[in-house]
Amino acid sequence: MITPRFSIRAKLLLVSLTLLAVPWVGLSFVKEVERALRQGHEQSVAATAQAVATALHDRPRLFEPQPGHASPWHEPGDLYLFALPAAMEVDGAVSDWPATLAAHTYTPPPTSESASSAAFKLRLGQHGAYVYALIEVTDAQVHYRAAQNSWLESADHVEFALTTPEGEFKRFTVSPLRPGTGAAYAVQFQDGKLALGEPEPRIRTVWRETPGGYNVELSLPQSLLGEKLSFAIAEVSAPESGINAWISTSIVTQREGMGRLIVPSPEIQQVVQGLGRATSRIRVVDKSQRVIAEMGSLKQAQQALAPIQPLLLERIKANTLRPIYARLLQQPTDAFTDDTAKASRLETREIESALRGVPQTGRRATMDGQAVIVSSAHPIWVQDQIIGAAVTEETTNSVLTLRNQALEKLFTSVLAVFLIVALGMLLFASRLSYRIRKLSNEAEAAIDAKGRVVGGLKQSALATDEIGDLSRSFSSVLARLGQYNHYLENMASRLSHELRTPIAVVRSSLDNLAQQSVPDEARIYMERAQDGIRRLNTLLTRMTEARQLEQALQNTERETFDLIPVVAGCVEGYRGAYPDVAFNLRIPSEPILLSGGPDLIAQMLDKLISNAVDFHRAESSIDIALACEKQHAVLTLSNEGPPLPAEMAGQLFQSMVSVRPRQTDDEPHLGFGLYIARLIAEYHGGGVRAENRKDGAGVVMTVTLPVV
């Protein structure tokens, strides 16, 4: 099983991930705050509904029909006539109409077979003796009536029908030759077609083109209006093809089926308007759940604000974090479908509960799922009777906005804290890793490849932590190891010096004893003692030679010499010294220059050749090859014989190591020969290695030395 290895830096970074618990706690807190905000929002909407209902308690006169007008219980196609704060300027502009006066949109009926995209919005209000209407028409291409052409079906036009206070039905049209101020004409039939009749001077009209179509604004005297009124537009795709689309609030061709003109109670409207808010819609319904008063809108009016240049931090947030937040968080929007905006009846659980005498607050999603509406209904009492209900509606956009702002601040703060802490921990981990790595490198550099202590550790008095204690402990250990290493290095010299005197005494005693007459059986033991003394003396000589060589290498002066004649001369000498061994030499023709001592190279060759001769198989040759490869001189000695044991691969060139079998009649071998060869090779900047031949029949010694 492989255990994964983590560095201190990785472990600290993993520990820093525990900071992720902070946003989780913050998110839980924000959810609790959001829950409290929702409850407070519902209570606020319910309080508004209760305030409206309280203001209408015990006032039955407000729910009676207005004199001269229809009953306030209206049906689809009926039009509200709201009071305007001032007289309107008939100019076709929308800007002077109150923002609180909602515009109702009319589109082609679902059963229409035309593919027209035409539609219109209607605003209707009353001030003083006049009724004002603004019709905003959406039309891709406007066609005007040609001069001397009174037929209505050849051009785009607006029609409206009304009943007078005496009940007379009248039908008018606005069909100008060009944009501008004009008159409203009565509609008449000529030869079975609709045509312009006499103008009505009491009605003022203005036709104004817009980027998406045109606007028609008109004013009618209050004395001309009875209880019914309806508007319609005719869209013509081409003058010769006739009317392509017909859109109306209700029927304009006859009295029956026309929508009624409903004048809400001014007092109810004042109460609703006084308690309304910019983002709420207040309605008053009767016992039949029919709307008799309405104020406000669920959608905020879009205001053109001067652009504010954000700060640099805000720019960064707007360009990086805000798009992420916009994807992760539900965003408040006014682009939702308000399915009850033009409803004449409201059938909700809240209203049904309120009409039973129990106030209720509920939530519902819009048809398109883009918004959630909080609705609260409160009963309106007249003594012990319920005559209606006050309904207040608001979207949860304000709560969503506050929730998103809180989450954005939370996530931004947590992200900043997380980055700062992670960066701090990364720097701390890097510093910690640097100190540990530095300590490791110094500890490795304090001991060379030969196992000698060649340096110490740099101690800092300012490092008072555990790493500083570890550094001081390592330094103390290295100091003691250095002392012990120095003791071991000098032990050979001391042993050699101390043992030579008793060996000399024993040898002189044995020599004196050899001159005396001793029995033959005793002479055997005397010869064995002399052989042991000789072997001890050989060991001391070789130990001294190795120690003297180490000291001599430190004081030897370097010189530049050609390696080829040194190797060639030594091989010729070996042929004379070992007549029974065949030597095969391969050397290049180009000189190979080294920096060092040629005598030392010859001494190294002596040790390697002696080892090869001792281990070579009888009647086999020793191959010596010299070559220059990649700025290095490569000297190889190959002999047939027993292979190297696997456990001796990395220890063969150490002192006091030998693979020779123990034989009492041979000279002692403690591995000083190959150890001396390694010292000489390292002195020249190279190295020596031993490995078995590829055919397994022997051993190859390879010496690598850098050339000049």
Side-chain angles (χ1 to χ4, degrees):
M1 180 178 179
I2 300 177
T3 303
R5 182 177 180 271
F6 295 98
S7 63
I8 295 180
R9 184 184 309 175
K11 292 179 180 178
L12 288 176
L13 288 179
L14 290 176
V15 172
S16 66
L17 293 180
T18 57
L19 292 175
L20 294 177
V22 176
W24 178 79
V25 174
L27 182 61
S28 302
F29 176 74
V30 170
K31 287 184 177 180
E32 291 296 329
V33 173
E34 181 185 5
R35 188 177 296 109
L37 287 175
R38 291 183 183 275
Q39 294 176 355
H41 185 232
E42 293 177 359
Q43 294 173 0
S44 174
V45 173
T48 303
Q50 183 179 6
V52 174
T54 302
L56 299 177
H57 280 338
D58 296 323
R59 302 174 69 179
R61 185 178 57 84
L62 299 180
F63 292 83
E64 296 176 355
Q66 298 299 302
H69 292 282
S71 168
W73 325 138
H74 67 279
E75 299 295 339
D78 295 347
L79 301 177
Y80 275 107
L81 185 61
F82 294 104
L84 295 173
M88 306 300 296
E89 181 180 356
V90 183
D91 56 2
V94 184
S95 57
D96 53 348
W97 283 77
T100 56
L101 185 60
H104 294 281
T105 302
Y106 297 89
T107 57
T111 57
S112 176
E113 297 180 357
S114 65
S116 174
S117 61
F120 75 92
K121 295 180 180 179
L122 175 63
R123 301 173 192 264
L124 193 62
Q126 179 267 334
H127 182 78
Y130 287 92
V131 173
Y132 300 90
L134 177 63
I135 304 170
E136 304 171 62
V137 181
T138 301
D139 193 352
Q141 185 176 4
V142 182
H143 296 277
Y144 293 98
R145 180 172 53 84
Q148 308 301 325
N149 184 1
S150 61
W151 307 115
L152 295 179
E153 297 181 356
S154 62
D156 295 331
H157 62 278
V158 173
E159 292 191 25
F160 58 95
L162 55 86
T163 57
T164 64
E166 294 78 16
E168 182 183 359
F169 172 77
K170 289 189 177 183
R171 182 179 179 185
F172 300 93
T173 183
V174 180
S175 180
L177 302 176
R178 64 188 63 86
T181 303
Y185 295 86
V187 177
Q188 63 181 6
F189 283 91
Q190 291 182 2
D191 301 331
K193 295 182 180 181
L194 295 177
L196 294 179
E198 296 296 326
E200 173 55 64
R202 291 177 295 177
I203 301 176
R204 292 181 298 165
T205 67
V206 170
W207 185 296
R208 180 175 183 175
E209 285 194 359
T210 61
Y214 59 91
N215 291 351
V216 174
E217 188 172 12
L218 52 89
S219 65
L220 301 89
Q222 184 98 15
S223 59
L224 186 61
L225 286 174
E227 67 173 15
K228 292 190 176 184
L229 178 65
S230 61
F231 292 86
I233 67 165
E235 190 259 340
V236 175
S237 58
E240 63 277 3
S241 61
I243 296 176
N244 180 51
W246 180 266
I247 308 171
S248 64
T249 61
S250 62
I251 294 176
V252 297
T253 58
Q254 59 185 13
R255 177 188 176 91
E256 289 73 17
M258 287 181 59
R260 295 175 301 170
L261 186 62
I262 297 177
V263 180
S265 170
E267 295 186 25
I268 293 180
Q269 198 68 23
Q270 289 177 2
V271 171
V272 172
Q273 187 171 359
L275 296 175
R277 293 183 295 180
T279 59
S280 64
R281 178 171 61 199
I282 301 176
R283 291 168 170 173
V284 179
V285 299
D286 66 350
K287 291 188 296 182
S288 300
Q289 300 180 338
R290 290 175 293 192
V291 179
I292 60 175
E294 181 177 349
M295 186 66 188
S297 173
L298 296 179
K299 300 182 180 181
Q300 290 183 326
Q302 300 296 327
Q303 299 179 357
L305 300 177
I308 300 176
Q309 192 69 17
L311 299 176
L312 178 60
L313 182 59
E314 290 297 326
R315 291 183 188 176
I316 296 175
K317 289 174 59 178
N319 295 331
T320 56
L321 297 179
R322 289 281 167 76
I324 299 176
Y325 293 152
R327 289 181 175 272
L328 297 179
L329 303 177
Q330 180 184 358
Q331 301 298 317
T333 177
D334 282 339
F336 59 88
T337 301
D338 188 3
D339 50 314
T340 64
K342 298 184 294 182
S344 59
R345 290 176 59 88
L346 295 178
E347 298 179 358
T348 64
R349 290 179 298 176
E350 295 81 24
I351 295 177
E352 293 175 356
S353 177
L355 292 178
R356 292 194 302 268
V358 181
Q360 184 173 347
T361 301
R363 304 164 65 89
R364 73 176 189 273
T366 57
M367 294 182 62
D368 54 2
Q370 296 296 318
V372 176
I373 299 175
V374 177
S375 176
S376 180
H378 199 280
I380 301 174
W381 297 84
V382 174
Q383 295 182 356
D384 295 334
Q385 299 292 325
I386 298 175
I387 62 173
V391 183
T392 303
E393 297 173 312
E394 280 192 22
T395 63
T396 59
N397 286 348
S398 59
V399 176
L400 281 178
T401 300
L402 293 176
R403 192 277 308 267
N404 290 352
Q405 291 176 353
L407 286 177
E408 287 182 10
K409 290 182 180 179
L410 172 67
F411 290 153
T412 303
S413 302
V414 168
L415 180 61
V417 171
F418 184 79
L419 290 178
I420 293 174
V421 172
L423 180 61
M425 296 190 73
L426 179 62
L427 294 177
F428 174 73
S430 300
R431 172 64 178 170
L432 196 63
S433 300
Y434 167 75
R435 293 176 61 192
I436 295 176
R437 190 179 298 109
K438 180 181 178 183
L439 178 61
S440 175
N441 294 337
E442 290 180 355
E444 291 180 357
I447 300 177
D448 62 5
K450 303 175 184 178
R452 296 190 180 97
V453 179
V454 295
L457 300 181
K458 298 180 181 179
Q459 301 184 30
S460 175
L462 299 178
T464 58
D465 54 3
E466 290 78 359
I467 297 180
D469 295 340
L470 181 63
S471 176
R472 287 184 284 273
S473 298
F474 276 8
S475 179
S476 176
V477 170
L478 286 175
R480 293 195 297 269
L481 286 176
Q483 295 174 0
Y484 185 68
N485 196 337
H486 181 71
Y487 166 76
L488 293 178
E489 290 176 351
N490 295 329
M491 184 176 66
S493 299
R494 289 195 294 269
L495 286 176
S496 176
H497 177 74
E498 296 296 334
L499 291 177
R500 287 190 182 277
T501 299
I503 288 176
V505 173
V506 173
R507 172 175 290 179
S508 61
S509 300
L510 290 175
D511 291 341
N512 293 331
L513 185 61
Q515 296 176 2
Q516 302 295 326
S517 130
V518 294
D520 293 338
E521 58 274 10
R523 187 172 299 276
I524 296 175
Y525 298 108
M526 183 180 66
E527 291 177 355
R528 291 180 181 176
Q530 289 178 342
D531 183 63
I533 291 298
R534 179 180 59 80
R535 295 177 63 186
L536 282 175
N537 188 60
T538 302
L539 288 176
L540 292 177
T541 301
R542 291 181 178 176
M543 290 173 60
T544 303
E545 180 184 3
R547 181 59 185 168
Q548 290 177 350
L549 177 62
E550 294 179 2
Q551 297 176 353
L553 290 177
Q554 300 176 1
N555 301 321
T556 301
E557 295 183 0
R558 292 178 176 271
E559 62 176 292
T560 301
F561 64 95
D562 188 0
L563 180 60
I564 293 178
V566 175
V567 174
C570 289
V571 171
E572 289 299 326
Y574 301 147
R575 287 171 178 166
Y578 306 103
D580 298 334
V581 181
F583 293 92
N584 298 326
L585 176 64
R586 297 195 309 274
I587 55 176
S589 58
E590 299 293 332
I592 300 178
L593 302 181
L594 298 183
S595 175
D599 294 337
L600 295 176
I601 296 296
Q603 186 177 1
M604 178 188 69
L605 282 174
D606 292 344
K607 303 301 180 182
L608 295 177
I609 291 296
S610 175
N611 182 82
V613 170
D614 291 342
F615 283 95
H616 90 291
R617 184 171 53 82
E619 299 180 356
S620 65
S621 62
I622 297 177
D623 298 328
I624 305 171
L626 180 62
C628 186
E629 300 177 1
K630 298 180 180 180
Q631 301 298 318
H632 283 81
V634 180
L635 176 65
T636 59
L637 289 82
S638 176
N639 66 276
E640 295 183 8
L644 291 174
E647 64 274 8
M648 300 299 297
Q651 306 178 19
L652 193 60
F653 293 92
Q654 297 180 7
S655 63
M656 308 293 289
V657 174
S658 176
V659 296
R660 301 174 185 269
R662 295 179 177 271
Q663 297 179 3
T664 56
D665 55 346
D666 292 339
E667 293 185 358
H669 295 280
L670 297 181
F672 286 109
L674 295 182
Y675 173 68
I676 292 174
R678 192 197 78 183
L679 292 179
I680 296 175
E682 291 177 352
Y683 168 76
H684 287 83
V688 58
R689 68 179 186 273
E691 55 189 358
N692 293 323
R693 295 192 345 182
K694 294 182 179 180
D695 56 5
V699 177
V700 177
M701 297 282 184
T702 304
V703 180
T704 304
L705 304 172
V707 301
V708 177

